[in-house]
Amino acid sequence: MPAFVAPGITVLESEEVALFDALEARFQEIAVTLGARPVAGPALLPVEDLARLDFFRNFPHLALPVATLTDEARGVLARGEATAPSGGHTLAPTGNCLPTATCYGLLLSLGGRRLGTPEVITSIGRCFRNEDHYDGLRRLRSFHMREALYVGTREGVVDHLTRSTELVLDLADRLGIKVRHEPATDPFYLGSGSRALLNQMDPVKFEFVSEDGTAIASVNRHRNFFGERLGISFGDEAAYSGCLAFGVERWVHAALQVYGDPQRALAALNESVA
């Protein structure tokens, strides 16, 4: 079983790592099938860029800002004293946050570009969320997210997400994980007002939810929000984008719920792709 070193922070044991790696290999194969090329996303995101994307309007509670020690605090700790100064004398902001989703960094890397052909890229990122509670592998403070991002035309996004949905449902079926494909209530960029109302009429995020209510993957249609905010164009208009996201630890959890132990789950996964 996973070893939890703090609430929401876990170390997977060797057998669980083998299952994690095998699942992640399947996710990479799906991304390749979708035409995605691999990239390595950033581990930090500038606060000013997240503000441009309405992150702090929509999900300020999830943010985990990155700070460094002040000179005063470094001196105290270097002398071996038990505690650093209290209050504002301990930490200084760096102007960065830890990512809550992999796609933010990928989209920021395309900022200001005029695309002649669609961009389809994939990356796995370590993500971090300041949740109000943590629950085993279902809800972690630190976790891994594999994404396959499409940026281009409106029609291209629809095709990308339609194919993504088919591939996720097929993988879950072959692995024996029963999932519901249903609209999500938390599209991350819509905020309130007219955009939120539009989402009620035309949902932009669908989740794949296992039997115990865990959302193990999602498909997200961003419309042209990021194209407009980040100056990404396709032809003469703001680019449209959408992504497929897998929560890797959540898939480990779902597989363990079905098979009871990681070795049986890994054997079933290997048989499903044989």
Side-chain angles (χ1 to χ4, degrees):
M1 295 297 292
F4 288 89
V5 299
I9 302 174
T10 186
V11 173
L12 297 180
E13 296 296 338
S14 298
E15 292 177 348
E16 293 156 349
V17 169
L19 176 59
F20 178 106
D21 289 343
L23 285 164
E24 161 58 4
R26 301 290 87 74
F27 304 154
Q28 290 185 59
E29 289 174 1
I30 287 175
V32 170
T33 299
L34 293 168
R37 60 181 179 86
V39 299
L44 297 173
L45 300 174
V47 168
E48 60 184 25
D49 286 330
L50 290 174
R52 291 166 61 197
L53 302 177
D54 290 349
F55 176 83
F56 299 107
R57 178 181 299 174
N58 295 324
F59 297 115
H61 57 288
L62 296 182
L64 285 167
V66 178
T68 186
L69 294 169
T70 63
D71 290 340
E72 181 181 358
R74 291 191 191 103
V76 169
L77 294 171
R79 291 192 295 271
E81 298 181 25
T83 58
S86 61
H89 301 289
T90 303
L91 300 175
T94 65
N96 295 292
C97 281
L98 297 171
T100 58
T102 300
C103 64
Y104 280 122
L106 307 187
L107 286 157
L108 289 171
S109 73
L110 300 175
R113 287 182 54 182
R114 180 181 294 275
L115 304 178
T117 57
E119 279 279 3
V120 190
I121 52 181
T122 185
S123 182
I124 184 171
R126 172 82 77 164
C127 298
F128 305 83
R129 294 182 182 177
N130 183 49
E131 304 276 15
D132 58 7
H133 73 283
Y134 299 100
D135 181 8
L137 296 179
R138 299 181 64 197
R139 188 177 295 271
L140 291 165
R141 180 184 291 269
S142 173
F143 58 96
H144 294 81
M145 183 184 295
R146 161 69 63 179
E147 295 205 38
L149 171 71
Y150 172 96
V151 184
T153 67
R154 186 200 305 259
E155 296 77 13
V157 170
V158 172
D159 179 65
H160 179 77
L161 300 185
T162 298
R163 294 171 63 205
S164 295
T165 298
E166 293 169 351
L167 291 166
V168 173
L169 291 174
D170 178 67
L171 176 62
D173 181 64
R174 285 188 282 119
L175 192 50
I177 298 175
K178 296 180 180 179
V179 295
R180 306 186 305 275
H181 178 231
E182 57 189 37
T185 57
D186 64 340
F188 58 85
Y189 66 95
L190 289 178
S192 59
S194 61
R195 282 187 175 134
L197 178 61
L198 181 60
N199 181 61
Q200 294 175 24
M201 297 184 293
D202 181 20
V204 295
K205 178 177 180 178
F206 285 84
E207 292 177 329
F208 302 87
V209 181
S210 65
E211 287 190 294
D212 69 354
T214 304
I216 60 176
S218 65
V219 287
N220 306 271
R221 181 163 54 93
H222 311 147
R223 299 195 175 98
N224 59 356
F225 176 85
F226 290 110
E228 290 181 342
R229 291 294 176 92
L230 298 176
I232 309 169
S233 60
F234 189 90
D236 296 325
E237 64 177 2
Y240 287 75
S241 62
C243 66
L244 162 65
F246 295 95
V248 188
E249 285 87 351
R250 290 187 176 194
W251 277 79
V252 172
H253 165 81
L256 292 176
Q257 290 295 107
V258 173
Y259 294 100
D261 68 72
Q263 289 180 315
R264 290 181 60 208
L266 179 60
L269 179 60
N270 290 336
E271 288 179 9
S272 74
V273 297

